[in-house]
Amino acid sequence: MITTDKLRVFEQEMKEIGSDLREVGLLVDEQPERLSLYTSRPSLQLANRMMIPPEYGGEPIVTIGSEKYYGLSCIERVTAIEQLAYGDAGTFLGCPGASMSGIIINELADSEQKERFYSRFLKAPSWTFFALSEPKKGSDATGIETRVYPDPDGGMILSGEKYFIGNGCRADMGLVFAQTSHTPLGIQVLLMDTSMEGFGAVPLDTMGVRGVQLSHLTFSGCKIEEEQVLGRHLSKSRRGFWGALQTFHQMRPGVAALGLGVAQAAYDYLLAERKQYKEKEHQELERLWLRLAATRSLIRYAAMEIDADGHKGYLASLGKIRATQLAEEATQLAADYLGPGSLYEHPLLNKWYRDARAFEFMEGTTNIQKVNVFQAYITGKMNYA
């Protein structure tokens, strides 16, 4: 576990990398397809090697003394993501790297699949996608309609579509959730290349986090081999839907950190752009500062709890609720305090304002997070210490 002193050093190094993202944030927001032109920048290089285990050729994203950090623990990820989002959340989400897929690869893949997945990033910057959401079913894993069925000639056939998939149109490979039967045990997670025949991807036009280029994916009779099925060496109860739950528990603190980074950026920007405040406004800013600090503590505690026990996701849900609200309120407050026309006169604030409203829909809406918290409460899993 990373110590408090080393966490501060780690945080500062990530903040410096985040500033590199901010330099290109507005350009990427205007033309997301140009992100690939910036792969030589330190921030994109770091994102590309983040979360690659050393045994598969990964290089540390930060070295502090004799210790090396790869972004593999939840506490490392949330610390890094907050500072990278402080630089620019949309561009960070659009960066090459293992991203969400890396979590489930680490949880479910066998050594051969891990080698195939991680080796891509060692050769050149590579993008991935995580395809769960669908046009009619959203992210309800038990109701997805994308199907995988036996091919008479051997192997399997994948057919269906996915919607709102980050980096889908620029990815080299990704994970696809598909049904073999309408039960939780019938869900399979497939590792596939986008060069496969029958794969299609179209970017969607969005208002916020434009750098991630949310996409509509289609699978028209894609040929799937057995070695593409994640968790093939595990029992059915430990793959598929189980893998999705583990990923969501581990990624929710990261989504919360995205919101916190944007909220902190808006707060600091406001203080830099406006110096005079009325007493009531001072009090409002003090409350916001306290909420930023409290939310940061909650998110990091949630991350450490998940590192200790990956099944304890209720604190991550609480952190996601708080951070999502905070991002929206902080950007709104900054826009109000900077006066009429602020979103026109301050392009960065305009971008953060739009980006902040996307986090509600990532890794489950507030209502879903509240259900998670309630389930932890009624089953006695909450720790009040």
Side-chain angles (χ1 to χ4, degrees):
M1 177 64 70
I2 187 170
T3 64
T4 301
D5 289 341
K6 289 180 179 178
L7 191 63
R8 292 195 186 100
V9 177
F10 183 86
E11 182 179 39
Q12 185 56 42
E13 294 209 22
M14 290 297 101
K15 189 168 187 175
E16 292 175 8
I17 293 293
S19 65
D20 183 62
L21 285 175
R22 188 172 294 188
E23 289 182 14
V24 298
L26 289 174
L27 297 174
V28 172
D29 185 65
E30 184 176 352
Q31 295 180 296
E33 66 280 0
R34 299 191 63 185
L35 180 61
S36 59
L37 299 177
Y38 304 110
T39 53
S40 62
R41 297 189 72 98
S43 52
L44 272 73
Q45 290 283 324
L46 179 139
N48 185 67
R49 69 176 187 270
M50 189 173 175
M51 296 168 55
I52 302 177
E55 59 267 31
Y56 291 97
E59 297 180 1
I61 56 173
V62 170
T63 300
I64 304 174
S66 60
E67 297 186 31
K68 299 177 180 180
Y69 300 96
Y70 299 83
L72 292 171
S73 71
C74 198
I75 184 61
E76 291 172 37
R77 286 196 299 273
V78 299
T79 304
I81 289 172
E82 180 192 342
Q83 298 307 321
L84 295 172
Y86 182 88
D88 191 80
T91 305
F92 167 68
L93 288 170
C95 282
S99 190
M100 285 183 65
S101 294
I103 299 292
I104 203 165
I105 286 287
N106 194 46
E107 293 284 348
L108 297 183
D110 59 30
S111 58
E112 183 181 323
Q113 291 166 336
K114 289 179 180 179
E115 180 65 34
R116 174 185 171 185
F117 181 80
Y118 292 123
S119 63
R120 288 287 189 93
F121 308 105
L122 306 181
K123 299 172 184 176
S126 186
W127 281 264
T128 61
F129 65 77
F130 185 90
L132 174 60
S133 299
E134 295 187 354
K136 298 179 182 179
K137 298 295 182 178
S139 57
D140 177 12
T142 60
I144 58 179
E145 296 179 347
T146 298
R147 298 299 302 273
V148 57
Y149 50 89
D151 183 358
D153 297 326
M156 294 170 285
I157 297 293
L158 173 68
S159 293
E161 59 182 330
K162 300 291 182 178
Y163 214 65
F164 298 129
I165 307 304
N167 293 316
C169 60
R170 59 164 69 105
D172 305 298
M173 57 183 169
L175 301 183
V176 181
F177 283 74
Q179 286 272 17
T180 56
S181 63
H182 291 291
T183 68
L185 295 182
I187 297 173
Q188 301 282 4
V189 187
L190 310 172
L191 174 61
M192 63 178 298
D193 290 350
T194 57
S195 59
M196 182 176 295
E197 185 177 352
F199 173 86
V202 178
L204 303 172
D205 191 22
T206 60
M207 289 288 290
V209 291
R210 286 171 49 78
V212 76
Q213 274 201 315
L214 294 176
S215 305
H216 180 195
L217 308 185
T218 54
F219 311 99
S220 302
C222 296
K223 178 78 171 178
I224 301 295
E225 303 297 338
E226 180 65 29
E227 57 265 26
Q228 293 176 249
V229 179
L230 293 194
R232 56 183 174 163
H233 59 301
L234 303 172
S235 65
K236 287 187 177 181
S237 62
R238 295 194 58 210
R239 48 173 144 150
F241 189 61
W242 180 88
L245 289 177
Q246 297 306 303
T247 302
F248 294 153
H249 287 333
Q250 294 205 41
M251 290 307 297
R252 277 180 188 137
V255 176
L258 285 170
L260 179 61
V262 171
Q264 186 71 59
Y267 173 83
D268 289 348
Y269 186 84
L270 173 60
L271 295 185
E273 293 296 319
R274 180 179 164 183
K275 304 299 183 183
Q276 301 295 322
Y277 297 94
K278 298 176 182 178
E279 181 61 29
K280 185 177 180 181
E281 292 173 333
H282 265 299
Q283 293 174 359
E284 186 99 30
L285 287 172
E286 286 178 2
R287 282 195 294 269
L288 178 57
W289 182 85
L290 289 171
R291 291 174 64 199
L292 287 165
T295 303
R296 181 171 297 107
S297 295
L298 173 60
I299 293 170
R300 293 187 179 180
Y301 187 82
M304 290 186 286
E305 182 115 308
I306 287 174
D307 282 333
D309 183 349
H311 299 283
K312 291 185 176 180
Y314 72 91
L315 279 177
S317 290
L318 280 173
K320 205 262 180 176
I321 293 170
R322 295 280 181 86
T324 296
Q325 293 172 342
L326 200 55
E328 294 184 12
E329 292 175 18
T331 52
Q332 184 66 63
L333 186 71
D336 291 342
Y337 279 14
L338 290 176
S342 58
L343 294 182
Y344 175 78
E345 295 168 358
H346 301 273
L348 274 175
L349 180 58
N350 181 304
K351 183 184 187 308
W352 296 334
Y353 185 94
R354 289 182 283 110
D355 287 351
R357 277 131 190 93
F359 304 135
E360 168 68 13
F361 304 99
M362 296 181 184
E363 304 311 315
T365 62
T366 294
N367 286 340
I368 292 174
Q369 306 305 331
K370 288 180 178 179
V371 170
N372 292 339
V373 175
F374 177 70
Q375 289 176 336
Y377 173 73
I378 62 174
T379 56
K381 294 180 180 179
M382 280 193 167
N383 178 8
Y384 297 100

